Every structure is written in C-alpha cells, then in structure tokens.
C-alpha cells in the first residue's frame, strides 16, 4: 500500500512528526515510543496494550521504517515514511505499508486504506494548526450495548444528528468533568469522523463489533491524560446508555 501527501510544512517539521514518539503522538492513533537507530525498539500503545516492532531503516531527515515480529502464522506489518523537501517550499511525504495479513486480509487492507487517509489528513491538520507543538494523546473505546446503530448515537452526542455531516459543521462536545468544547468537523468518511478545536484534534472510528474508538490529541499544558481518558470513557458511556 502506497500513499503520498503534499504538506506545506518544512521537511524538518515533517521528519520530526513521523520519526519520533512525541511527533507521532501528535497525529497518529495511540501513543508511540521510538529508539532512533537501526534495530531500535518501536512501541505503539493502544490503551495499555503495546504493539512492538524494530527500526529497519533510519536515515535522519529522509527515511524511517519499522517492522513487526513475524507471527506464528507468518503475518507481519512493516511501515516506511519517506520525506522529500521541495525546492519551492513544502514537503512530500510518502508512506509504504506492507506485510502479510490474516485470513480476512481484504477487509484489513480496506480498513488500513481508509485509516491512513484520515491519519495523513490529521498530520496535515497538526502541522497546519499546531506547528511546533507536541500533543498528549488519549485513547478510549466503547462498544455499543443497545439496538440503535452506534454511529447515529455518536453523531447525536456531538450535536450532528438529523442531517448529512460535512466538513465545516460546528460541533459541541460535553464530556463529563469538562466545560463544553466547541469545534469544527475537519474530516468525514464512512466510519471516520474528525473534529478540530482550539486545543486539540479528535478522531472517532467505527471499529469491529459496532465499537467507537476515540483518539484525542491534546495541545494544552497541565492536562492529565489519565483524567481526560476517564472523562471520555464516562462521556461515551453516557451517550450510549
């Protein structure tokens, strides 16, 4: 799978965003740790669960790649970022995602295609609206426990129900323990929704089993991510009950 995106940020800014834990935390799903050398450890945390890999390519400012251990069935995942600055300004980022998947490989490929489209867009939003900053990242998930489709419940909880959601729609979030948060929809695709506020980027994903996954990149000082994660869990529980 190959993706390419043109970014207005400098090559140095893009490299910082894709090659280290703080940069990846500011736009990608989950929390990341990277040891910056060939053979170094890469860990991606989704909640308390870590997926581990090893750095396979480390060319500072140009290429960064990592590959997961091979599973008992031969499956693995490998991701490579290629950064190319333009003489006239801006940067081209190329992504190569390869590997061997499981029995449901076609569904997995389609999900990865859609997911990368949203997260590369999130990278652009990060570099455009929060340049020079790093985010705290929160991950939360909530399975549906009713008969109503979970995405409809989510849209109602965000104040978006009753119409087709489009980029630019205003959003009002009311997680428990926080003042209401005003934002704007910055990304819409089937099963994916992005919201940008003055302090962060929110990403909602419809996962397997009618589950909603929330990724929240917080560009604000003196915020405890554990309290924010609990607030999201409380808010998701509230809107789905």
């Amino acid at each position: 799978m190959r993706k390419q995106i043109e970014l207005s940020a400098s090559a140095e800014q893009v490299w910082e965003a894709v090659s280290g834990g703080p940069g990846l935390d500011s736009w990608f799903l989950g929390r990341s740790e990277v040891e910056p050398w060939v053979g170094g450890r890469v860990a991606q945390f989704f909640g308390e669960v870590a997926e581990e890999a090893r750095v396979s390519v480390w060319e500072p400012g140009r290429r960064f790649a990592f590959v997961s251990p091979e599973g008992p069935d031969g499956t693995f995942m490998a991701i490579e970022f290629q950064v190319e600055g333009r003489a006239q300004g801006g940067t081209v980022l190329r992504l190569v995602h390869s590997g061997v998947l499981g029995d449901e490989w076609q569904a997995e490929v389609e999900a990865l295609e859609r997911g990368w489209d949203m997260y590369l867009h999130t990278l652009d939003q990060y570099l455009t609206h929060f340049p020079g900053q790093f985010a705290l990242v929160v991950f939360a998930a909530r399975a549906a426990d009713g008969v109503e489709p979970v995405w409809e419940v989510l849209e109602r909880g965000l104040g978006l129900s009753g119409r087709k959601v489009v980029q630019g729609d205003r959003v009002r979030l009311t997680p428990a323990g926080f003042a209401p948060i005003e934002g704007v929809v910055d990304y819409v695709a089937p099963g994916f929704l992005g919201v940008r506020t003055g302090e962060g980027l929110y990403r909602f994903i419809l996962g397997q089993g009618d589950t909603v996954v929330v990724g929240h990149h917080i560009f604000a000082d003196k915020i405890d991510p554990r309290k924010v994660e609990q607030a999201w869990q409380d808010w998701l529980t509230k809107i789905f009950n």
Side-chain angles (χ1 to χ4, degrees), residues 43-221:
Q44 293 179 290
F45 292 85
F46 303 98
E48 299 301 318
V49 179
E51 299 286 343
E52 298 211 2
R54 291 292 170 186
V55 176
S56 55
V57 177
W58 182 260
E59 299 177 8
R62 296 182 58 247
R63 294 174 65 211
F64 166 49
F66 56 91
V67 59
S68 71
E70 189 172 300
D73 57 354
T75 58
F76 71 92
M77 285 283 199
I79 294 174
E80 179 175 339
F81 296 107
Q82 303 170 4
V83 177
E84 180 185 332
R86 297 293 192 177
Q88 65 272 29
T91 304
V92 172
L93 175 68
R94 297 181 179 90
L95 164 78
V96 182
H97 191 159
S98 55
V100 179
L101 304 175
D103 293 338
E104 302 296 328
W105 63 269
Q106 186 169 1
E108 290 186 50
V109 168
E110 291 173 356
L112 288 169
E113 285 270 7
R114 297 194 303 271
W116 274 121
D117 286 344
M118 184 179 75
Y119 277 101
L120 290 175
H121 172 83
T122 304
L123 171 61
D124 181 57
Q125 292 287 291
Y126 160 49
L127 293 171
T128 299
H129 297 281
F130 302 97
Q133 302 181 57
F134 292 125
L136 294 170
V137 62
V138 168
F139 177 91
R142 183 74 164 84
D145 51 11
V147 296
E148 190 173 5
V150 66
W151 206 250
E152 293 180 11
V153 179
L154 174 68
E155 289 183 349
R156 184 168 64 246
L158 297 173
L160 294 170
S161 59
R163 64 184 186 281
K164 181 180 179 181
V165 180
V166 298
Q167 287 188 5
D169 280 349
R170 301 300 304 178
V171 171
R172 180 179 173 87
L173 304 96
T174 57
F178 290 82
I181 301 168
E182 306 288 341
V184 61
V185 173
D186 71 274
Y187 188 84
V188 182
F192 294 88
L193 178 66
V195 173
R196 186 184 71 249
T197 72
E199 58 79 32
L201 299 167
Y202 300 72
R203 296 301 180 252
F204 302 93
I205 302 171
L206 181 61
Q208 294 182 343
D210 212 22
T211 295
V212 167
V213 175
V214 177
H216 181 189
H217 307 275
I218 314 166
F219 298 91
D221 295 331

Side-chain angles (χ1 to χ4, degrees), residues 19-22 24 32-43 52-58 64-66:
S19 64
L24 289 166
S32 300
E33 296 175 356
V34 177
E35 294 179 343
W37 56 80
V38 173
R41 173 177 174 266
V42 177
E52 298 211 2
R54 291 292 170 186
V55 176
S56 55
V57 177
W58 182 260
F64 166 49
F66 56 91

